[in-house]
């Protein structure tokens, strides 16, 4: 492709011109860039890439004009999101142009944590990192690589660099959550798998706490499936079981507000009715779960859901074809036995799918197609560990990428701070980069390369391509390129020059799986579409050894702390914020400004309290309250919320950053500090005992559509 370089002049022209006609003074001309194509100013160019805001793997089209990305749409051809997009995907462009991005490599220039850094060049950064890793290697000490991109280019580059060290330790930032989910389903389906659920073709759906229209596993894909479920000739019926009404429950035909931790009792009570009335599609041994002990008449006082209702729903479920159960419920984890019971709970819920006889059927549970690892050919024997206290102990250096454990998993902060060398690859001044010795900022995913398998869809496997849609805007470097550069300085010869070459070579491997006769042509089409989908196949090579479920149980048990009901009479349910997630997207103003769909709160945290409870405590909407658990306490405004059980209070993750730029900092409170199990699992499922006290101070509380519409004043 012909390349040419030119400077774009605005219509009025010259450097320093002011474009004030629209009321927005513009002091800079659009910078000179090297275009990829015969570029015409004023025309839109759409480029395909993949969303990396969550793990769902949606396909995107990004509109660029004058070499700036200015709009994102869903890729209509992509099998996961079929042209749709969630709010996080829409807002992603604000991470590219975020005013608080780190502009280039930094070296700590003050006390650790003082936030004082000096600018250095990339050459100095590589030299310093290579020298320090060399010293650590000569002492035979350990170096940890922690990344949220273990399956992508960064993961492979980390494996390559780790292989040059005697004690390289690979740590997957999502590992504990993946392990928890996989262990739960392993109990239920007796295979180490994460199945998918064909919501679109089911005619009856019971969800045990899965907030699939907001977060869960693939919210865009699941929302589309839910639309088909509702729009079918026979409209599907949907029942949501959870202690607090989420947006997903608000879309249900029936909401069953079961007590925290009793969702599996509801599932077993439904199963008991189906079996005792001879409605099961397969023979079920009553004693598999001692089903008779869970008859709805025996469990109604514990669950809070009347026997008559359970009997009716059980009959509806059994007589609807296909009927589907999803989700994993909630639990208060206070000791090791509770962690094990949490996994057992998933098995109980999925017993309903067995009873419905719906495995591997339309509208049922789909066992996953074999996954494709585009990098299998280059995998060594490196084992990825989950992020736990154990995996980060005893390190002499920790390299951290796409993860902010000091904020998100605060119980790891002390162990991280004790590591002699911390290197952060964060693009933003988050809590973890603030305690780093070296900060080597990564590109955003709009500026870099990646290739990854997305969760498979009904029609086949999916492999996504992430590619630059604009040139790097700042003096940043893709982390995979940085790791490969350091590996080369340490005397090894990686099989790739950089991340772009990694994706191109991996694409050639996918071409073989796809049976393409012309690899060049396959790569061109893959680049144009931004994804490949087809029949799964295996790429010869290594595989990553899996961790065991005992690791997750041990970690959860080590974090559990017993709280006595006399001291902590409430149960605090912490949940993933529908748009800010677990806090990693709190620096995007479009998402801060987006009202929470159930409470209308923007720009802050809140604690949901049932009106009866609020009345007893003398708490009014907007009052500041203190929430205390056996792990600590925080302050946040109360929202009197009718759709929650009286003994439950609820709070979203997402806020409470001490550092992450002007839009996120000093806003709300971080519930990860008082519910470490939920924080470690990055999950809605783990609740904790709590008490709540009204404070005399007034809360800063902003709710859309109320008399408190004050926006925060943000200045820099
Ligand atoms: S669900 Fe939303 S955030 Fe996740 S990949 Fe899709 S568009 Fe991106």
């Amino acid at each position: 492709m012909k390349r040419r370089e030119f400077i774009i002049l605005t219509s009025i022209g010259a450097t320093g011109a002011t474009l004030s006609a629209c009321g927005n003074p513009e002091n800079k001309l659009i910078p000179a860039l090297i275009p990829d194509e015969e570029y015409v100013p004023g025309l839109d160019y759409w480029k395909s890439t993949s969303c990396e805001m969550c793990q769902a793997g949606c396909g995107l089209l990004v509109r660029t004009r004058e070499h700036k990305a200015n709009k994102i749409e869903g890729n209509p051809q992509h099998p996961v999101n079929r042209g749709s997009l969630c709010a996080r995907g829409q807002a992603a462009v604000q991470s590219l142009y975020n005013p608080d991005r780190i502009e280039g490599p930094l070296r700590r220039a003050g006390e650790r944590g003082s936030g004082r850094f000096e600018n250095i060049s990339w050459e100095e950064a590589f030299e310093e990192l290579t020298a320090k890793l060399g010293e650590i290697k000569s002492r035979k000490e350990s170096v940890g690589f922690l990344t949220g991109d273990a399956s992508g280019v960064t993961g492979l580059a980390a494996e390559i660099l780790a292989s040059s060290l005697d004690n390289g330790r690979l740590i997957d930032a999502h590992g504990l959550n993946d392990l928890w989910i996989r262990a739960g389903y392993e109990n239920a389906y007796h295979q180490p798998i994460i199945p998918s659920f064909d919501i679109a073709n089911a005619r009856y759906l019971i969800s045990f706490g899965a907030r699939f229209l907001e977060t869960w596993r693939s919210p865009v894909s699941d929302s589309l499936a839910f639309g088909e479920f509702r729009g079918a000739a026979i409209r599907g019926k949907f029942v949501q079981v959870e202690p607090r009404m989420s947006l997903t429950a608000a879309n249900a035909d029936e909401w069953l507000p079961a007590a925290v931790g009793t969702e599996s009792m509801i599932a077993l009570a439904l199963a008991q009715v189906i079996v005792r009335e001879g409605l099961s599609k397969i023979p079920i041994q009553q004693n598999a779960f001692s089903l008779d002990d869970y008859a709805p008449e025996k469990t109604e006082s514990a669950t809070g859901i009347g026997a008559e209702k359970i009997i009716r729903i059980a009959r509806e479920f059994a007589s609807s074809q296909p009927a589907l159960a999803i989700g994993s419920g909630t639990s208060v984890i206070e000791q090791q036995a509770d962690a094990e019971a949490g996994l057992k709970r998933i098995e109980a819920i999925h017993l309903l799918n067995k009873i419905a006889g719906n495995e591997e059927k339309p509208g049922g549970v789909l066992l996953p197609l074999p996954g494709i690892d585009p990098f299998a050919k280059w995998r060594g024997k490196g084992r990825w560990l989950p992020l736990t206290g154990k995996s980060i102990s005893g390190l002499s250096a920790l390299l951290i990428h796409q993860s902010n454990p000091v904020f998100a998993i605060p119980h790891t902060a002390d162990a991280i701070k004790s590591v002699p060398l911390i290197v952060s690859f964060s693009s933003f001044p988050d809590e973890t980069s603030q305690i780093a010795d070296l900060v080597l900022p990564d590109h955003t995913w709009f500026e870099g390369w990646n290739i990854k398998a997305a969760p498979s869809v009904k029609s086949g496997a999916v492999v996504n391509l992430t590619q630059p849609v604009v040139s790097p805007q700042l003096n940043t470097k893709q982390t995979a390129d940085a790791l490969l550069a350091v590996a080369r300085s340490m005397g090894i010869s990686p099989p790739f020059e950089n991340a772009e070459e990694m994706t191109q070579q991996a694409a050639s491997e996918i071409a073989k799986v796809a049976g393409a006769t012309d690899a060049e042509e396959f790569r061109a089409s893959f680049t144009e579409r931004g994804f490949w989908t087809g029949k799964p196949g295996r790429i010869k090579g290594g595989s990553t050894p899996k961790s065991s479920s005992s690791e997750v149980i041990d970690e959860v048990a080590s974090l559990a702390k017993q709280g006595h009901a006399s001291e902590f009479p409430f149960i605090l349910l912490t949940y993933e914020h529908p748009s800010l997630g677990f806090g990693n997207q709190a620096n995007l103003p479009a998402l801060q400004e987006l009202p929470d769909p159930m409470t209308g709160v923007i720009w802050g945290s809140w604690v949901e309290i049932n009106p009866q409870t609020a009345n007893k405590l003398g708490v009014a909407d907007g009052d500041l309250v203190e929430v205390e658990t056996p792990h600590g306490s925080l302050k946040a405004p109360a929202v009197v919320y009718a759709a929650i059980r009286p003994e439950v209070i609820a709070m979203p993750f997402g806020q409470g950053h001490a550092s992450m730029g002007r839009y996120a900092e000093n806003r709300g409170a971080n519930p990860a500090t008082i519910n470490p199990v939920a924080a470690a699992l990055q999950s809605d499922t783990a609740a904790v005992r709590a008490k709540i006290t009204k404070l005399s101070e007034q809360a800063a509380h902003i709710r859309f559509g109320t008399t408190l519409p004050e926006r925060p004043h943000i200045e820099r």
Side-chain angles (χ1 to χ4, degrees):
M1 194 168 285
K2 204 169 131 197
R3 286 174 175 259
R4 65 197 171 97
E5 186 172 1
F6 58 94
I7 296 172
I8 304 162
L9 295 181
T10 66
S11 54
I12 57 164
T15 306
T18 298
L19 302 178
S20 54
C22 301
N24 292 318
E26 183 65 58
N27 296 318
K28 281 186 200 159
L29 283 179
I30 296 155
L33 292 167
I34 302 171
D36 288 321
E37 61 270 300
E38 287 299 322
Y39 162 76
V40 180
L43 286 190
D44 290 341
Y45 292 87
W46 289 88
K47 298 188 182 174
S48 60
T49 190
S50 306
C51 182
E52 296 204 8
M53 298 290 275
C54 84
Q55 299 205 66
C58 296
L60 306 181
L61 297 177
V62 181
R63 185 179 70 192
T64 65
R65 187 187 276 196
E66 276 86 55
H67 299 291
K68 294 284 174 195
N70 57 23
K71 181 78 179 89
I72 303 178
E73 296 289 358
N75 183 344
Q77 294 184 333
H78 199 283
V80 172
N81 57 316
R82 295 180 271 158
S84 297
L85 212 54
C86 76
R88 293 189 208 187
Q90 291 281 359
V93 76
Q94 291 189 335
S95 63
L96 172 64
Y97 298 120
N98 195 293
D100 298 313
R101 276 185 67 180
I102 299 170
E103 297 188 9
L106 302 170
R107 176 167 46 211
R108 179 162 63 81
E111 287 290 299
R112 188 176 262 184
S114 64
R116 287 205 298 281
F117 292 93
E118 60 184 358
N119 295 317
I120 53 172
S121 68
W122 278 102
E123 290 71 27
E124 284 175 280
F126 289 154
E127 217 170 277
E128 187 163 334
L129 182 55
T130 306
K132 289 195 165 149
L133 291 182
E135 285 165 25
I136 292 168
K137 181 179 175 179
S138 68
R139 296 196 300 267
K140 299 196 179 319
E141 291 169 357
S142 300
V143 177
F145 298 85
L146 166 64
T147 177
D149 182 39
S151 61
V153 287
T154 324
L156 184 61
E159 286 183 29
I160 290 168
L161 179 53
S163 70
S164 73
L165 301 163
D166 291 329
N167 291 309
R169 206 182 290 169
L170 301 162
I171 309 167
D172 179 356
H174 303 296
L176 203 64
N177 178 269
D178 288 352
L179 195 53
W180 175 257
I181 294 169
R182 192 157 41 84
Y185 287 130
E186 191 168 351
N187 275 349
Y189 295 104
H190 307 295
Q191 298 180 53
I193 52 156
I194 298 181
S196 56
F197 301 99
D198 186 7
I199 293 172
N201 292 306
R203 295 282 61 86
Y204 202 100
L205 174 65
I206 303 185
S207 156
F208 295 88
R211 294 165 55 217
F212 62 91
L213 297 179
E214 306 146 76
T215 56
W216 206 44
R217 289 159 42 165
S218 191
V220 174
S221 167
D222 287 342
S223 297
L224 291 168
F226 186 67
E228 291 171 44
F229 168 85
R230 289 300 211 189
I234 303 172
R235 184 179 187 269
K237 178 166 181 181
F238 170 38
V239 178
Q240 177 83 350
V241 186
E242 62 184 10
R244 161 206 176 255
M245 180 187 275
S246 64
L247 178 69
T248 304
N251 281 277
D253 297 290
E254 281 189 60
W255 168 49
L256 305 189
V260 171
T262 65
E263 294 90 343
S264 57
M265 278 190 195
I266 300 268
L268 294 175
L270 291 167
Q272 199 272 343
V273 174
I274 293 170
V275 172
R276 83 183 179 199
E277 297 193 0
L279 302 173
S280 174
K281 301 288 181 293
I282 59 160
I284 289 283
Q285 289 181 347
Q286 279 270 355
N287 61 5
F289 274 94
S290 305
L291 279 183
D292 280 345
D293 294 346
Y294 295 93
E297 297 78 7
K298 293 182 184 168
T299 49
E300 64 182 347
S301 63
T303 64
I305 308 296
E308 264 177 42
K309 195 176 268 189
I310 295 294
I311 293 166
R312 175 179 52 76
I313 291 173
R315 288 174 184 158
E316 288 173 1
F317 185 83
S319 62
S320 306
Q321 281 292 315
L324 179 64
I326 62 173
S328 48
T330 55
S331 45
V332 182
I333 297 177
E334 293 184 302
Q335 49 201 336
Q336 180 148 10
D338 296 328
E340 285 165 13
L343 293 180
K344 195 83 183 149
R345 173 171 295 116
I346 300 177
E347 185 180 355
I349 288 169
H350 290 270
L351 177 68
L352 285 173
N353 288 320
K354 290 207 165 54
I355 284 177
N358 70 7
E359 269 182 48
E360 287 292 22
K361 289 194 180 147
V365 179
L366 306 178
L367 302 182
L369 300 164
I372 292 185
D373 177 0
F375 293 126
K377 183 175 167 184
W378 298 279
R379 292 267 180 231
K381 293 201 172 57
R383 175 170 173 240
W384 285 88
L385 302 168
L387 173 55
T388 61
K390 200 168 149 201
S391 65
I392 51 171
S393 70
L395 293 170
S396 293
L398 180 58
L399 280 57
I400 306 173
H401 170 253
Q402 275 187 11
S403 179
N404 181 12
V406 172
F407 169 80
I409 312 180
H411 70 271
T412 61
D414 287 344
I416 291 173
K417 283 177 193 161
S418 71
V419 176
L421 174 67
I422 301 172
V423 182
S424 164
F425 295 91
S426 178
S427 306
F428 301 100
D430 60 25
E431 288 81 353
T432 307
S433 65
Q434 289 302 291
I435 59 159
D437 302 292
L438 281 175
V439 183
L440 312 184
D442 193 8
H443 290 340
T444 63
W445 49 267
F446 293 94
E447 302 157 302
W449 292 90
N450 209 348
I451 186 168
K452 267 189 218 182
S456 54
V457 292
K458 270 184 275 179
S459 54
V462 182
V463 177
N464 279 339
L465 176 71
T466 302
Q467 54 186 332
V469 296
V470 291
S471 310
Q473 305 290 298
L474 301 167
N475 182 24
T476 55
K477 213 171 261 302
Q478 182 154 6
T479 300
D481 293 0
L483 296 178
L484 292 177
V486 174
R488 276 191 293 274
S489 317
M490 296 199 63
I492 60 169
S493 308
F496 318 96
E497 187 60 28
N498 52 34
E500 179 177 0
E501 204 182 304
M502 290 166 101
T503 55
Q504 295 301 324
Q505 290 200 33
S508 298
E509 295 303 306
I510 303 295
K512 290 180 201 159
V513 173
T517 46
D518 184 337
E520 195 62 38
E521 200 180 301
F522 175 87
R523 282 209 306 261
S525 136
F526 182 54
T527 305
E528 192 181 325
R529 298 176 82 199
F531 71 95
W532 169 81
T533 184
K535 219 167 129 234
R538 195 167 131 62
I539 294 173
K540 280 198 190 129
S543 63
T544 313
K546 300 270 184 272
S547 298
S548 75
S549 57
S550 63
E551 283 172 75
V552 71
I553 291 176
D554 289 350
E555 179 69 2
V556 166
S558 75
L559 299 173
K561 235 185 221 178
Q562 204 147 16
H564 294 285
S566 54
E567 192 185 354
F568 298 102
F570 297 99
I571 293 171
L572 171 68
L573 199 60
T574 48
Y575 62 91
E576 183 176 358
H577 191 289
S579 51
L580 305 179
F582 287 94
N584 36 345
Q585 274 120 28
N587 60 341
L588 306 190
L591 297 180
Q592 286 279 7
E593 185 74 12
L594 191 67
D596 170 68
M598 299 307 289
T599 62
V601 176
I602 56 177
W603 294 100
S605 298
W606 68 93
V607 183
E608 290 156 25
I609 308 176
N610 180 285
Q612 278 176 36
T613 311
N615 205 19
K616 273 191 210 148
L617 297 171
V619 171
D621 204 73
D623 282 350
L624 192 67
V625 292
E626 182 178 53
V627 179
E628 188 181 342
T629 73
H631 305 274
S633 67
L634 54 74
K635 295 174 188 174
V639 164
V640 177
Y641 188 71
I644 189 167
R645 291 181 60 88
E647 77 281 10
V648 179
I649 54 176
M651 194 177 172
F653 284 98
Q655 304 280 14
H657 280 280
S659 173
M660 203 178 172
R662 70 197 72 185
Y663 304 114
E665 281 168 18
N666 305 322
R667 197 171 302 298
N670 180 10
T673 57
I674 59 170
N675 190 359
V677 176
L681 293 174
Q682 297 276 285
S683 154
D684 290 359
T685 57
V688 62
R689 292 202 169 276
K691 69 177 169 191
I692 182 164
T693 316
K694 181 184 169 180
L695 301 174
S696 51
E697 304 146 62
Q698 210 41 51
H701 186 214
I702 310 172
R703 284 178 82 176
F704 184 79
T706 69
T707 51
L708 297 160
E710 290 281 315
R711 295 296 189 277
H713 184 63
I714 295 164
E715 233 177 35
R716 275 281 153 110

